[in-house]
Amino acid sequence: MSIAAQIDDLSFAHLGTDLPALDRVSLFVPAGESVALLGPSGAGKTTLLALLDGRLQGWAGRVSVLGAPLDPDHPPPRARRPDTGFVFQEFALVERSTVLRNVLNGRLGRMSPLRALLGSPTAHDLGIARTALADCGIADLAERRVDSLSGGQRQRVAIARCLAQEPRLILADEPVSNLDPARAGEILALLTAAARARGATAMFSSHQPDLARRFAQRIIGIRGGRIVFDVPTSELNEDATADLYRDPKPMPGIGLRAVS
Amino acid sequence: MRLREFGGFAASALIAGAVLWSFVTTDVELSRLMSAGPRIAGFLGRMFPPDPTVMAEIMKGSAETLRIAILGSLGATVLSIPLGILASETMVSRAVFRPIRMLLAFIRAIPLILVAMLMVGAVGLGPLPGIIAIAFHATGMLAKFYAEAIDGVSRAPIAALESAGAGPLVRLRHAIWPQMAPVVARDTIFRFELNLRESLILGIVGAGGIGFYIQTYVRSFQYDKAASVTIAVVLMVIAIEGINVALRRRFA
């Protein structure tokens, strides 16, 4: 069985802080699995996903992605970057460009340097972009400018760009946090279906346990930079989930009023 | 509080001293201003009526000024693209953008008329020194504007393209350029307007354009002809401003 991600004893603190964003995390994700990272805001979900995408340096531990080790001090070589696709929470689209242009931007790492610079995709690149648009249900929006789209449509463009990259590992950071529940279900359904159809591994973060349960085979609970539980979806424990979101330890003297 | 009061007093004293020093040491003979009335009237009298027979010279000079501004702006744009990239903190390291920014500040500090005089000395009279002077002088501002346009775009799409495996120039082309294009268009038009305005006087130092005729007619006491050229210059500036207002509305 090939491996999508293997993490051993990973710790990381953001620059200028002592508090670890990730604290001795170990994790093994086989290829083809669909994994949800569940946890409150600030738990370390985004940090873990960005690190797997090769965008964070200065961590300790051992991490390998798609069989190749990550260097804790340097970003991965450019040729390897298209293999991990990232869906950004705030979409990170070029607002003044068309939907098709934005999706083709996902192809830039796969094109020859000259074609990438000139922005002249081959028929093959265009075919992949069109398929990604169709899979995300936005084929009819191809020529629209992104700044004229709704939030749900933008999220679909962001996913289509990631799919056009032909990643073997898809990392999605809160892909539905900006959407209403019905839209959120649709988006996660198409994201996980598209990953499955392409044989890609999908890891998405969420703070909604019901969505994680519906669309992931495995759920990892994170709190305070540590993995609290790591279970197949069928074994998800309600108490453990509730515990994930409990308030931090009440501090003495706050919230209590002295009664004379 | 004491210190602030003293500071205010010191500043007032300094300003008063500077004004007094300027009055005393410069030959400001107010008496000359008093007797100047009739002379100014005479001078203005000789300007009127403006001589319309210089229309051909005005057209020739204006066309040359326009050409100097167009080619000077083109030169400045071509120079500003690489310099703007090298002056932006998004594209290059501090070790590169710091010295480039200092170079641009140095270029901006040299007045255009001084550059034009030096260029006339270097390449001779005519429009060529004017074009070079405009291109050089305008680059100091335009490259800075381009660098600020690069640094002013949203960073998220740049990170997204980097994550997709795009190199720095590809990111500049596909994540930064679409965002900065309207700013570049606005800044370039603004600088073109300034170039056209400033190139009107280049002829005074022999660097081509309509300014040549103002200088020629004033030196040869043909004030009625100088008046016609001056009116033409004022009309051109008003026209440029009108066009610019319309263009800015388009790019707002």
Side-chain angles (χ1 to χ4, degrees):
Chain A
M1 192 192 326
S2 64
I3 303 162
Q6 175 146 26
I7 299 172
D8 291 308
D9 210 23
L10 168 66
S11 293
F12 175 79
H14 287 286
L15 216 65
T17 60
D18 293 331
L19 217 66
L22 296 171
D23 190 6
R24 285 163 285 164
V25 169
S26 291
L27 186 61
F28 174 80
V29 181
E33 210 173 32
S34 137
V35 181
L37 300 178
L38 201 59
S41 304
K45 308 186 296 292
T46 301
T47 306
L48 180 58
L49 292 173
L51 200 145
L52 288 172
D53 191 35
R55 282 189 283 121
L56 292 179
Q57 277 73 44
W59 40 268
R62 276 188 315 281
V63 179
S64 78
V65 174
L66 299 166
L70 284 185
D71 186 328
D73 300 314
H74 301 98
R78 209 182 289 155
R80 262 177 35 209
R81 304 210 62 170
D83 292 338
T84 43
F86 203 91
V87 180
F88 291 79
Q89 188 178 4
E90 303 297 336
F91 316 137
L93 298 167
V94 183
E95 292 281 313
R96 297 185 69 258
S97 297
T98 63
V99 168
L100 181 60
R101 268 282 149 212
N102 271 281
V103 175
L104 281 169
N105 281 344
R107 296 292 308 157
L108 291 171
R110 301 269 187 211
M111 294 181 193
S112 75
L114 188 65
R115 278 197 182 277
L117 193 60
L118 297 176
S120 111
T122 62
H124 176 68
D125 293 318
L126 272 171
I128 288 169
R130 296 270 180 205
T131 305
L133 283 169
D135 285 355
C136 294
I138 47 170
D140 53 326
L141 299 180
E143 298 306 325
R144 285 266 298 274
R145 254 170 62 157
V146 167
D147 52 13
S148 72
L149 302 182
S150 71
Q153 290 169 328
R154 277 169 208 227
Q155 188 57 273
R156 286 165 187 263
V157 179
I159 292 170
R161 176 176 66 189
C162 174
L163 295 176
Q165 203 175 312
E166 296 184 296
R168 288 156 61 208
L169 171 61
I170 295 172
L171 307 164
D173 187 16
E174 305 268 0
V176 295
S177 63
N178 298 312
L179 307 177
D180 60 69
R183 296 269 173 286
E186 287 170 22
I187 293 285
L188 277 178
L190 78 85
L191 178 69
T192 47
R196 217 175 15 255
R198 288 161 171 80
T201 311
M203 292 178 76
F204 67 89
S205 61
S206 180
H207 49 245
Q208 291 162 270
D210 53 316
L211 286 173
R213 203 178 276 127
R214 274 170 65 197
F215 295 103
Q217 299 166 296
R218 175 178 166 194
I219 300 181
I220 296 169
I222 302 184
R223 183 186 162 92
R226 292 186 188 182
I227 292 182
V228 182
F229 59 80
D230 180 354
V231 293
T233 302
S234 57
E235 291 170 24
L236 184 64
N237 181 319
E238 294 286 345
D239 291 345
T241 313
D243 220 26
L244 208 54
Y245 290 95
R246 75 177 192 277
D247 283 334
K249 268 178 281 180
M251 279 186 242
I254 295 180
L256 293 172
R257 194 165 294 159
V259 181
S260 57
Chain B
M1 207 58 207
R2 271 273 163 82
L3 198 71
R4 274 181 68 174
E5 274 170 27
F6 175 76
F9 173 77
S12 309
L14 201 69
I15 292 167
V19 171
L20 213 62
W21 170 72
S22 308
F23 258 117
V24 172
T25 54
T26 312
D27 237 355
V28 186
E29 296 170 55
L30 288 176
S31 54
R32 248 161 70 182
L33 204 58
M34 296 304 161
S35 64
R39 247 183 295 154
I40 289 172
F43 180 73
L44 287 177
R46 271 182 288 161
M47 286 178 87
F48 282 94
D51 183 351
T53 62
V54 293
M55 204 59 202
E57 283 81 0
I58 288 174
M59 294 312 288
K60 191 161 163 270
S62 306
E64 189 168 88
T65 292
L66 191 61
R67 287 198 298 270
I68 291 171
I70 289 171
L71 294 176
S73 301
L74 179 69
T77 305
V78 169
L79 287 172
S80 294
I81 290 168
L83 284 171
I85 292 171
L86 293 176
S88 85
E89 55 185 50
T90 310
M91 293 300 296
V92 296
S93 69
R94 180 177 291 259
V96 178
F97 74 71
R98 273 285 174 82
I100 296 288
R101 283 182 188 185
M102 275 167 67
L103 172 74
L104 295 176
F106 176 74
I107 292 173
R108 282 197 302 279
I110 309 172
L112 174 68
I113 204 78
L114 191 62
V115 183
M117 285 164 74
L118 291 172
M119 285 301 135
V120 169
V123 302
L125 294 169
L128 182 63
I131 293 166
I132 298 172
I134 290 280
F136 177 82
H137 181 73
T139 296
M141 183 195 276
L142 208 51
K144 179 171 183 267
F145 281 0
Y146 288 178
E148 282 168 1
I150 291 173
D151 293 339
V153 305
S154 156
R155 299 289 174 114
I158 307 175
L161 263 64
E162 187 172 12
S163 163
L169 283 177
V170 174
R171 298 201 290 271
L172 176 69
R173 169 65 190 85
H174 295 287
I176 299 175
W177 171 251
Q179 299 188 64
M180 70 184 279
V183 180
V184 167
R186 192 196 62 203
D187 289 348
T188 309
I189 289 166
F190 171 65
R191 188 58 238 188
F192 174 69
E193 183 204 350
L194 286 184
N195 288 347
L196 195 49
R197 237 175 231 265
E198 292 183 351
S199 61
L200 289 168
I201 54 147
L202 283 179
I204 293 173
V205 296
I210 197 166
F212 168 74
Y213 295 101
I214 297 182
Q215 184 232 32
T216 306
Y217 295 142
V218 169
R219 290 264 169 87
S220 57
F221 305 108
Q222 296 171 284
Y223 291 114
D224 50 350
K225 289 180 178 168
S228 297
V229 181
T230 306
I231 289 168
V233 167
V234 170
L235 289 178
M236 272 176 79
V237 171
I238 292 170
I240 294 161
E241 209 160 284
I243 293 167
N244 195 43
V245 167
L247 283 172
R248 266 191 221 177
R249 230 175 257 140
R250 167 75 182 73
F251 286 105

